[in-house]
């Protein structure tokens, strides 16, 4: 079964990779991978707008190429953008230089220092090659929302059981769609941009509740 939280071993393999931020920030970073997706992204943007929430979208270059108008919507609505390779390639199944070329192909369509490797893994050589040019963002909680066998309640349970200051990854932008969410409880939450280029959601009570 896929771990909802990566092991500490990965932070040793990728020492400059970002898994979580300073716990004193009392913050949660919400990220969405694999878009833009016509069936989901516009609706998701409307939900985020409704509650004044900003997120970070790690986009697949080929989806940007196919749906430039939707990608433009993400940018114009003030969300941060990250590189998620051009073809959502697996880092452990490609030669290093081929992987780098795929990342750079995506870079040709977007402008960002943020990079998240699909499936959360990179070959060590690739990581060391990229760490000087990119802020490599992993995640500390993955919602497993892409799993069609999981009921909406289970997806929400995964999110709620972890404490703040985690980078929560809703893979494939399907989290809100699958759970049928029409509202987000944001009482007491303040939104502000982080100096690291990612968007953070801060709550003085250290809880971000997604209902």
């Amino acid at each position: 079964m896929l771990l909802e939280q990566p092991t500490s071993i990965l932070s040793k393999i990728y020492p400059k990779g970002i898994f979580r931020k300073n716990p004193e920030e009392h913050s949660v970073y919400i990220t969405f991978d694999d878009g833009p997706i016509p069936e989901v992204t516009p609706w998701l943007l409307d939900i985020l707008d409704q509650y004044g929430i900003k997120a970070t979208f790690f986009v697949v270059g080929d989806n940007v190429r196919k749906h430039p108008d939707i990608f433009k919507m993400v940018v114009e609505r003030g969300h941060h953008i990250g590189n998620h390779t051009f073809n959502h390639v697996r880092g452990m199944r490609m030669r290093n230089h081929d992987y780098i070329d795929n990342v750079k192909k995506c870079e040709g369509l977007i402008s960002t220092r943020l990079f998240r490797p699909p499936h959360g893994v990179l070959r060590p050589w690739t990581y060391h090659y990229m760490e000087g040019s990119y802020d490599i963002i992993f995640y500390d909680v993955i919602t497993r929302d892409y799993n069609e066998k999981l009921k909406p309640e289970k997806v929400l349970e995964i999110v709620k059981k972890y404490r703040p200051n985690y980078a929560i990854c809703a893979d494939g932008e399907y989290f809100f769609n699958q759970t049928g969410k029409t509202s987000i409880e944001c009482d007491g939450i303040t939104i502000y941009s982080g100096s690291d280029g990612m968007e953070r959601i801060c709550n003085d009570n250290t809880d971000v509740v997604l209902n």
Side-chain angles (χ1 to χ4, degrees):
M1 184 179 75
L2 176 70
L3 294 176
E4 293 159 7
Q5 287 190 298
T7 66
S8 59
I9 295 175
L10 290 180
S11 63
K12 294 179 173 61
I13 297 174
Y14 313 119
K16 294 183 180 179
I18 299 174
F19 291 87
R20 69 174 68 174
K21 302 293 286 184
N22 186 344
E24 294 183 0
E25 291 180 0
H26 304 298
S27 304
V28 172
Y29 294 79
I30 297 181
T31 65
F32 298 94
D33 292 359
D34 304 351
I37 302 169
E39 296 80 7
V40 179
T41 307
W43 177 74
L44 173 57
L45 290 173
D46 288 343
I47 293 291
L48 295 174
D49 279 353
Q50 184 177 350
Y51 294 95
I53 292 176
K54 301 299 181 184
T56 304
F57 288 75
F58 288 90
V59 298
V60 172
D62 196 40
N63 285 340
V64 174
R65 177 189 64 81
K66 291 185 290 188
H67 311 294
D69 53 334
I70 301 177
F71 174 70
K72 185 178 179 182
M73 289 171 58
V74 176
V75 175
E76 289 181 343
R77 298 199 191 187
H79 300 283
H80 291 291
I81 300 298
N83 186 326
H84 203 46
T85 75
F86 191 84
N87 297 108
H88 200 267
V89 293
R90 291 180 178 267
M92 305 302 286
R93 296 185 180 180
M94 293 185 73
R95 294 183 301 176
N96 292 322
H97 291 289
D98 290 339
Y99 188 90
I100 295 296
D101 286 345
N102 203 270
V103 173
K104 290 183 176 179
K105 188 175 182 180
C106 181
E107 187 179 305
L109 296 176
I110 66 176
S111 177
T112 180
R113 274 190 58 90
L114 301 179
F115 173 76
R116 169 175 284 159
H119 310 285
V121 292
L122 283 171
R123 291 180 184 270
W125 184 93
T126 307
Y127 164 76
H128 289 297
Y129 181 89
M130 295 182 62
E131 65 176 342
S133 302
Y134 294 93
D135 298 321
I136 302 178
I137 313 296
F138 293 91
Y139 52 82
D140 205 49
V141 178
I142 188 163
T143 63
R144 293 168 59 203
D145 55 288
Y146 52 82
N147 189 340
E148 296 180 356
K149 296 180 180 179
L150 287 185
K151 294 182 178 180
E153 293 78 14
K154 177 61 178 177
V155 177
L156 287 174
E157 179 184 320
I158 291 170
V159 175
K160 289 181 177 181
K161 75 179 181 180
Y162 293 103
R163 302 305 293 172
N165 207 56
Y166 295 110
I168 295 179
C169 172
D171 195 61
E173 298 187 6
Y174 290 117
F175 172 61
F176 290 103
N177 190 44
Q178 177 179 330
T179 55
K181 291 166 59 59
T182 56
S183 66
I184 304 173
E185 183 178 326
C186 295
D187 187 32
I189 297 175
T190 58
I191 313 298
Y192 62 102
S193 294
S195 59
D196 50 16
M198 292 183 69
E199 198 73 25
R200 65 186 64 167
I201 299 178
C202 179
N203 184 307
D204 293 338
N205 296 322
T206 72
D207 281 326
V208 174
V209 182
L210 302 176
N211 288 327

